[in-house]
């Protein structure tokens, strides 16, 4: 086992015996084989000429397969093995249907397009070793594998975001086409660094399209987010908690609990859901409970109702709440109840049987959410005028994931120590480092603008582009600094989208990805000036104030 796809990988080099996320070597092997099977299915789809709904169904299968391997999503070996076998079956059905063509009878077929899953777990783990990181390092070298992993993780994040959009009925043929091409490119028996680097950059272009697709899906289905004051705590009554990211699941649950007297609460990355008009119209969307994902082992035992985990961010459940926990979609843990559809009747029955909150939680506090790109661009004139007058000197984006690893207090310090004439934008669950910050106002706007989930990263891109247009310049010439915390593969997708746009001087932390080799890092630094966060927020703020982040003339 060697896994280094997340930021908290052991010793910042890789988990080799058991994952920091609790992933076992067996689970790691099955996840590697599932990605391998997805590569084979992608080859079969491309060579079969399948089109229309049949092609879309296969792309959906690929999205679900890749999403299941994202950090903290699925740990259920039985489910992963079934997904591998189903993917292989679909691959072989396409190969049989294309008699006489490439990859139909074995010719021109990489191992991914022809392998069979061994019957025993020992055989599966042995096969996984032959396609794993260490074996490929021996065959291709560190830089090639680094680029392969960068492309793979970008595709995993794309799959996650595209999955969310698909759940709302939205697809983009160009996103689907690149996912197939990118996966198939990983089958190349003689990969070249230049070819892989070009694919990684094209993955950034496809990532941007994926983020735009998800933004379109969310805003057309649920309305544009509006500034909303969210209660950070519970009120008396029966309760259901929803965590993860899936807004379609939340909407279905709200519809099914309407009039039942059961309150629904968000957790983690679901906090921005309160700002969508189609969701906030439900009065029993009562508030937000808890903080970021890594606090769930402390917070879930305190919630007196059932808990639904809709997407990634699942941690190993403790016995204190395991019987009240439900998984949805691609999420899984052995022994946890799984909801195959959006029929939440079992969850509702559990909520009725459990005590709920006996009293309102005190003290009462609130958080403003809903500063998406429409809200901010609607007041772009005011913002531009405030910049021209000197009331706003800089925009500081502190976005990305939160985590338990020491050093993330850097992001809190950055917000607290930022000059009072700087606007602070936040995205992702990293916002929970800042939710208690009383940042005040500038030019009639809150100085701290919560732009949503990591899924809403397109909002920050659109705002940056709108400001650049308003000032007649490009994004790199704006008084804008990006300080990004990352944790898993969706963050890689967002980073690649930013790099595709040519955005430079991104500070990334709290540590740089272990899967980026020194050679690949050199390219990123020379091309985009990607850099690690500094030893302290004060040091980096001084550098930003001194203008060292401005692009070279």
């Amino acid at each position: 086992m060697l896994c280094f796809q997340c930021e908290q990988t052991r010793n910042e080099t890789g988990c080799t015996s058991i994952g920091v996320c609790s992933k076992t070597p067996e689970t790691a092997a099955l996840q590697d084989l599932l990605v391998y099977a997805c590569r084979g299915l992608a080859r079969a789809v491309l060579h079969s000429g399948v089109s229309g709904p049949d092609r879309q169904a296969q792309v959906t299968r690929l999205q679900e397969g890749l999403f299941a391997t994202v950090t903290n999503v699925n740990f259920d070996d039985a489910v992963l093995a079934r997904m591998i076998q189903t993917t292989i079956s679909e691959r072989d059905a396409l190969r049989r249907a294309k008699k006489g063509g490439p990859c139909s009878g074995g010719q021109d077929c990489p191992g991914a397009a022809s392998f069979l899953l061994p019957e025993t777990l020992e055989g599966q783990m042995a096969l996984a070793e032959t396609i794993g990181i260490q074996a490929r390092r021996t065959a291709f070298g560190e830089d090639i594998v680094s680029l392969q992993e960068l492309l793979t993780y970008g595709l995993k994040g794309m799959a996650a975001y595209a999955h969310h959009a698909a759940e709302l009925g939205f697809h983009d043929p160009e996103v689907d086409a690149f996912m197939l091409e990118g996966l198939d490119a990983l089958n190349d028996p003689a990969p070249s660094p230049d070819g892989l680097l070009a694919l990684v950059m094209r993955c950034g272009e496809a990532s941007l399209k994926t983020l735009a697709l998800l933004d379109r899906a969310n805003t057309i289905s649920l309305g544009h987010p509006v500034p909303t004051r969210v209660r950070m705590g519970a009120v008396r009554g029966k309760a259901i908690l929803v965590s993860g990211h899936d807004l379609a699941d939340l909407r279905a649950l709200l519809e099914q609990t309407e009039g039942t007297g059961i309150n629904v609460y968000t957790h983690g990355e679901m906090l921005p859901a309160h700002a969508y008009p189609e969701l906030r119209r439900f009065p029993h969307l009562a508030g937000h409970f808890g903080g970021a994902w890594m606090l769930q082992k402390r917070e879930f035992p305190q919630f007196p109702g059932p808990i639904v985990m809709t997407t990634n961010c699942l941690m190993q459940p403790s016995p204190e709440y395991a019987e009240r926990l439900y998984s949805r979609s691609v999420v899984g843990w052995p022994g946890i109840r799984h909801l195959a559809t959006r029929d939440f009747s079992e969850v509702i029955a559990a909520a009725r049987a459990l005590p709920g909150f006996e009293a309102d939680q005190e003290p009462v506090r609130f958080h403003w959410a809903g500063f998406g790109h429409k809200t901010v661009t609607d007041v772009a004139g005011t913002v531009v005028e405030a910049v021209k007058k000197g009331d706003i000197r800089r925009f500081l984006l502190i976005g990305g994931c939160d985590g338990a690893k020491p050093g993330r207090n850097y992001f809190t310090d950055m917000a607290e120590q930022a000059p009072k004439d700087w606007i602070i934008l936040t995205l992702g669950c990293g916002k929970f480092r800042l939710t208690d910050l009383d940042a005040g106002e500038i030019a009639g706007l809150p100085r701290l603008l919560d732009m949503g989930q990591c899924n809403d990263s397109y909002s920050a891109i659109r705002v940056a582009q709108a400001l650049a247009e308003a000032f007649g310049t490009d994004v790199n010439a704006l008084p804008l600094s990006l300080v990004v915390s990352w944790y898993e593969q969706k963050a890689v997708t967002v980073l690649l989208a930013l790099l595709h746009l040519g955005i430079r001087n991104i500070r990334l932390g709290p540590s740089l990805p272990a899967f980026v080799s020194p050679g690949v890092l050199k390219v990123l630094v020379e091309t985009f000036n990607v850099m690690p966060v500094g030893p302290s927020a004060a040091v980096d703020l001084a550098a930003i104030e001194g203008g060292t982040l401005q692009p070279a003339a």
Side-chain angles (χ1 to χ4, degrees), residues 413-453:
D413 295 342
M414 178 67 73
E416 290 178 342
Q417 297 172 24
K420 301 303 180 186
D421 52 5
W422 289 18
I423 290 278
I424 302 169
L425 311 173
T426 185
L427 273 166
C429 63
K431 71 169 62 66
F432 291 104
R433 298 272 170 177
L434 317 177
T435 49
D436 289 328
L437 178 66
D438 183 8
E441 293 187 354
I442 302 179
L445 288 172
R447 192 169 147 258
L448 177 65
L449 300 179
D450 181 355
M451 305 194 79
Q453 299 179 336

Side-chain angles (χ1 to χ4, degrees), residues 103 106 335 370 399 485:
C103 244
S485 62

